[in-house]
Amino acid sequence: MTSFFYASRYPHSSALVWLERLAAGEICLNGQQLRADGPLAAGDQLVWHRPPWQEPAVPVLPSPLFDDGDLLVFDKPSGLPVLPAGGFLEHTLLAQLQASWPPARPVHRLGRHTSGLLVCARQSSTRAWLSAQLRDSTAASPEASLAASPSSSPARCQKTYRALTAPLPPDWSVAESRPLTTPIGRRPHPLLGEIWCAVPPSNPSHSLDPTALPAHSQLTLLERRQGACLVEVAIASGRPHQIRIHAAAAGAPLWGDPLYLAGGLARPDALPGDGGYQLHAHRLQLARPDGALLKLEAPLPTFLITGPGHGPDQLVALEGDQP
């Protein structure tokens, strides 16, 4: 049957979905449009005429925080994917760059629902320089990178995030910092085949697992709130979903994260692109090609501001906004 033929080869869609496509006249058999399911014979030629791609609406990229004619830095809004992926082709930051700031291209990536500092450059040589610097910052000593102050020299590249997490264990005190070093590797996932997850250091097989990547973060508890914690996270490596996984591995997944469970494993019915968490790339320090040190800061979203007036009442409002 045509529907089962397609479903067996393209399991991203069920046989029921392929039946709907047949009924819509999207599939042709030997040049003739099909309207119902039916048997196939050896040598038959099938063509699926895919309908136009329908992409969800996304936020508009604001004016850059910094622009020297080559280097641009944006405060990326949550909900805007950087590159085409996961159902997005044209509704991306890259497409908006091409339309308004040619020939700028992103130097690195942020998750679709992560807001904050994103670095772009117009010249390919600048992008290569900055990309190498970002790579070098992850290859350098993690301890030196995380311990360096903004004015010290060991780490020319420093990346600091703010986030809301589920409550940290009670043995964490306010202003306390701890290193998070859980390796990150690929694990089976029923919807994607594989997905990035925590690999517990106590797992005897992780040293033999070729997907297990070392990862280094430093998490600081800034404030305890009703049902959540405000934290700052400095990262000395750039692994996929690193902050989301490390926070979960520490027992406090990002508040509202639909994917990662306490311990750092993934829910089987969720995807990396699902939103709901609050994560913001707040500060970034980079060395420019001319040797100057560029220090950047993106304003904090309302729910990530510490201090009076941004405590339990704000969190209750945020919880009410969740589906």
Side-chain angles (χ1 to χ4, degrees):
M1 302 293 281
T2 304
S3 59
F4 289 101
F5 174 86
Y6 271 108
S8 64
R9 285 159 177 77
Y10 306 101
H12 54 71
S13 299
S14 67
L16 180 60
V17 171
W18 286 111
L19 281 172
E20 293 172 351
R21 291 168 178 162
L22 278 164
E26 296 177 10
I27 297 175
C28 290
L29 172 64
N30 300 326
Q32 298 297 315
Q33 187 180 57
L34 293 177
R35 288 292 183 178
D37 209 356
L40 297 174
D44 281 346
Q45 294 186 347
L46 288 166
V47 177
W48 174 35
H49 296 278
R50 184 172 185 164
W53 194 289
Q54 300 295 320
E55 299 182 41
V58 296
V60 175
L61 188 65
S63 299
L65 296 175
F66 177 89
D67 185 355
D68 65 1
D70 178 14
L71 187 65
L72 301 101
V73 181
F74 293 92
D75 183 2
K76 185 189 86 67
S78 175
L80 178 62
V82 175
L83 299 176
F88 292 89
L89 183 63
E90 295 295 335
H91 292 185
T92 64
L93 181 142
L94 176 61
Q96 294 188 35
L97 275 179
Q98 292 172 329
S100 301
W101 293 277
R105 299 290 185 275
V107 172
H108 61 110
R109 300 177 68 172
L110 293 176
R112 177 188 168 197
H113 294 284
T114 302
S115 60
L117 295 169
L118 185 91
V119 181
C120 305
R122 293 180 175 90
Q123 296 186 45
S124 59
S125 59
T126 304
R127 292 196 295 272
W129 165 271
L130 294 172
S131 294
Q133 187 179 159
L134 290 167
R135 287 195 304 272
D136 290 346
S137 73
T138 65
S141 164
E143 293 76 12
S145 179
L146 290 171
S149 68
S151 60
S152 61
S153 59
R156 296 186 302 168
C157 177
Q158 296 179 345
K159 295 162 282 187
T160 306
Y161 294 72
R162 290 280 179 98
L164 279 181
T165 72
L168 283 160
D171 62 332
W172 283 74
S173 59
V174 173
E176 180 182 0
S177 294
R178 296 187 189 180
L180 306 177
T181 58
T182 302
I184 294 173
R186 305 284 285 177
R187 289 293 175 267
H189 189 269
L191 298 180
L192 295 177
E194 286 187 326
I195 197 169
W196 294 101
C197 293
V199 180
S202 59
N203 184 340
S205 67
H206 95 267
S207 60
L208 304 176
D209 183 350
T211 73
L213 304 174
H216 302 269
S217 306
Q218 187 85 13
L219 189 146
T220 302
L221 174 59
L222 300 179
E223 183 180 282
R224 286 193 180 273
R225 299 183 180 181
Q226 179 183 337
C229 287
L230 178 68
V231 302
E232 183 168 274
V233 185
I235 61 172
S237 55
R239 306 308 182 195
H241 313 302
Q242 177 172 320
I243 294 176
R244 297 172 69 183
I245 293 172
H246 269 179
L254 293 193
W255 193 91
D257 191 339
L259 178 61
Y260 289 106
L261 300 162
L265 297 182
R267 295 180 187 273
D269 58 346
L271 297 172
D274 295 340
Y277 57 89
Q278 300 290 315
L279 178 61
H280 182 70
H282 183 37
R283 294 191 180 98
L284 179 64
Q285 174 179 291
L286 284 172
R288 297 170 61 177
D290 61 6
L293 200 60
L294 183 64
K295 299 179 182 179
L296 303 156
E297 181 174 309
L300 290 169
T302 301
F303 297 115
L304 295 181
I305 297 175
T306 186
H310 298 91
D313 292 342
Q314 294 287 341
L315 184 59
V316 169
L318 179 63
E319 288 175 343
D321 290 339
Q322 298 304 304

